[in-house]
């Protein structure tokens, strides 16, 4: 059984220009190995639901992230995720080791079924699931997804919604179109690629051009728009 600690998380997220807050102790935090391994090959996306059920967590996003990292629920001990993303796009780093967020997972996309807490990095997005997604939060989610895809050496197809893996009828993250989300993560990954191939296949170049254009149409933040446009400009012309 493999049990990894993803101690590069905070540094990799910061390198992508995200606003990062580390919950102290995150590098050595995780469920004990007696509960299972941690060898993630995908990213599982959640919404937190209403905060009001957690007394310590109503105060603010940071307090909520600390509750996710350190306390959890009586029936579900912390950490409840590796990362949490606030409505303003701040990324809270909660744990480097195994979390309690996925339960048993059915196969989804490129990820096999099994112990979801071993297979996935869990991201709890602070959202009721019915309120919609602020531009700042969604853009931070896309960038975070791309950072994790790079770290795990996976494609955008390994980004899954809890509702896509749940065997108990979870519906999160609500109102997040996962196909559009995966497209945007794929485009973000392209912006990180350096044009190493001297002569890429013309059909591949056109595919990438379409992907970047589509993502650009939907990108909200100036930062992401600039990254996508710069990647488009680097593509060889027809
Ligand atoms: Zn969930």
């Amino acid at each position: 059984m493999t049990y990894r600690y993803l101690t590069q998380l905070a540094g990799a997220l910061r390198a992508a220009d995200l606003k990062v807050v580390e919950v102290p102790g995150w590098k050595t935090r995780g469920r004990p190995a007696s509960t299972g391994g941690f060898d993630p090959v995908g990213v599982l996306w959640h919404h937190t639901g209403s905060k009001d059920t957690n007394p310590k967590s109503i105060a603010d996003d940071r307090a909520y992230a600390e509750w996710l990292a350190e306390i959890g629920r009586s029936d579900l001990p912390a950490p409840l995720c590796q990362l949490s993303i606030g409505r303003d796009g701040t990324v809270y780093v909660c744990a480097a080791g195994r979390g309690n967020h996925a339960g048993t997972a059915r196969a989804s996309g490129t990820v096999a079924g099994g112990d979801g807490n071993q297979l996935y990095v869990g991201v709890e997005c602070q959202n009721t699931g019915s309120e919609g997604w602020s531009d700042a939060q969604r853009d931070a989610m896309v960038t975070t997804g791309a950072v994790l895809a790079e770290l795990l050496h996976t494609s955008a197809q390994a980004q899954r919604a809890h509702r896509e893996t749940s065997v108990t009828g979870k519906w999160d993250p609500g109102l997040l179109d996962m196909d559009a989300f995966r497209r945007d993560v794929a485009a973000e990954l392209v912006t990180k690629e350096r044009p190493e191939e001297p002569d890429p296949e013309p059909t591949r170049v056109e595919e990438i051009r379409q992907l970047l254009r589509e993502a650009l149409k939907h990108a909200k933040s100036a930062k992401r728009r600039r990254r996508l446009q710069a990647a488009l400009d680097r593509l060889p012309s027809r």
Side-chain angles (χ1 to χ4, degrees), residues 45-47 101 124 162 170 172:
W45 292 90
H46 307 265
H47 67 234
H101 63 94
E124 285 285 357
H162 197 188
K170 300 283 188 189
D172 61 322

Side-chain angles (χ1 to χ4, degrees), residues 101-137:
H101 63 94
T104 300
R106 58 195 159 88
S108 185
T110 53
V111 186
D115 172 2
N117 293 321
Q118 169 149 4
L119 292 163
Y120 288 98
V121 170
V123 188
E124 285 285 357
C125 301
Q126 304 198 16
N127 191 288
T128 60
S130 53
E131 67 182 87
W133 300 86
S134 71
D135 296 345
Q137 189 172 26

